[in-house]
Amino acid sequence: MASRRITRKEMKRDDFVSAMGRFSVWMEEHVKEAMLLGGAGLAVVIGSIFLVQYLNQREAKASVLLGRGLEMLHAPVQADGSAPTPGGLSYASEQEKLQAAIAQMDSLIQSYPRSRSGRLALYYKGLAQDALGRSEEAIKTLSEFLEASPDNYAAPMAQAAMARMLQSTGQSQKALEILERLSKQTSGAYPPQAALMEMGRCLEGMGKKDEARKVYERLTKEFPNSDYSQEAQERLKGIS
């Protein structure tokens, strides 16, 4: 009797059955190893879930502390001793308020230094230090913020604040370098026309009227419909 020819489909099926059989035998012989491998993978997944939850909880706590610090910065000053606003903060002096805000930001930075809110606290701490007249400290703090969060939405505003502080401490050339970079940024929280206006003022303060004139002319040409353009035109008349 002639033997039936095995089709390719049947060969593939037999190969699959054989492979599954070999796998089953391996599993029986190495069941402990398989359980360990599966357990390790499961542990990684579970660990990742707990890590995400932990980080989210820390970020939420840091955000609450930042909100409290901002509340302090915007609290009213009631030097006359009148009763504070119901449910809100108030301080006897601007200095007291700023010092309290700095202490709050420091607490946040120390507790959650790597959180988004912890890094952003550096920005607000720098502004508060500058308001207290501690410009050198403020410049250092804002530098730390920019180093930690160069892509933060507040980074351009921090750079502009630094430029202003640098001017006030006699470092106008460094301020100009920052403002020049800001004037070339087409996106961000700080408008380039504002940077150009500050550049012009800085150059005027340095006695470089010709360079200031060029900056004002650039402003009126690139941003003819902005409010800064009108101010630039007025300044051009003053230095002509």
Side-chain angles (χ1 to χ4, degrees), residues 51-66:
L51 177 61
V52 170
Q53 290 178 339
Y54 172 74
L55 292 176
N56 287 340
Q57 288 174 357
R58 284 179 63 85
E59 190 62 56
K61 292 178 181 178
S63 180
V64 170
L65 292 177
L66 179 62

Side-chain angles (χ1 to χ4, degrees), residues 70-91:
L70 293 178
E71 184 182 358
M72 292 175 175
L73 281 175
H74 294 94
V77 173
Q78 297 177 326
D80 58 359
S82 59
T85 304
L89 293 171
S90 66
Y91 296 92

Side-chain angles (χ1 to χ4, degrees), residues 119-127 129-130 134-152 154-155 157-163 165-166 169 171 174 178 181:
R119 293 193 295 269
L120 188 56
L122 286 166
Y123 169 63
Y124 291 109
K125 176 184 175 182
L127 296 183
Q129 287 174 323
D130 181 55
R134 293 152 51 182
S135 297
E136 293 290 351
E137 293 178 43
I139 291 170
K140 181 180 178 181
T141 301
L142 291 180
S143 296
E144 292 175 5
F145 166 68
L146 291 169
E147 182 178 352
S149 307
D151 298 323
N152 190 281
M157 294 183 288
Q159 293 178 57
M162 271 190 67
M165 296 173 199
L166 287 167
T169 56
Q171 303 176 73
K174 290 183 179 180
I178 294 174
R181 290 197 297 270

Side-chain angles (χ1 to χ4, degrees), residues 14 35 77 106 139-140 151 161 163 175 180 186 201 234 237:
D14 290 342
M35 290 178 68
V77 173
D106 277 337
I139 291 170
K140 181 180 178 181
D151 298 323
E180 178 65 29
T186 57
R201 291 170 179 162
E234 293 298 324
K237 294 177 182 177

Side-chain angles (χ1 to χ4, degrees), residues 6-22:
I6 300 175
T7 65
R8 183 176 295 178
K9 182 176 181 180
E10 289 173 324
M11 291 176 64
K12 289 183 176 180
R13 183 184 62 195
D14 290 342
D15 289 342
F16 175 75
V17 171
S18 297
M20 290 301 295
R22 290 194 299 271

Side-chain angles (χ1 to χ4, degrees), residues 169-216:
T169 56
Q171 303 176 73
S172 297
Q173 189 57 46
K174 290 183 179 180
L176 282 174
E177 293 171 3
I178 294 174
L179 293 169
E180 178 65 29
R181 290 197 297 270
L182 287 173
S183 72
K184 296 177 180 177
Q185 294 182 3
T186 57
S187 62
Y190 194 78
Q193 56 268 40
L196 286 171
M197 177 56 67
E198 290 302 321
M199 280 181 64
R201 291 170 179 162
C202 184
L203 287 165
E204 280 194 78
M206 297 170 69
K208 299 182 178 181
K209 293 187 177 182
D210 289 339
E211 292 182 41
R213 182 183 297 107
K214 292 178 181 178
V215 170
Y216 291 139

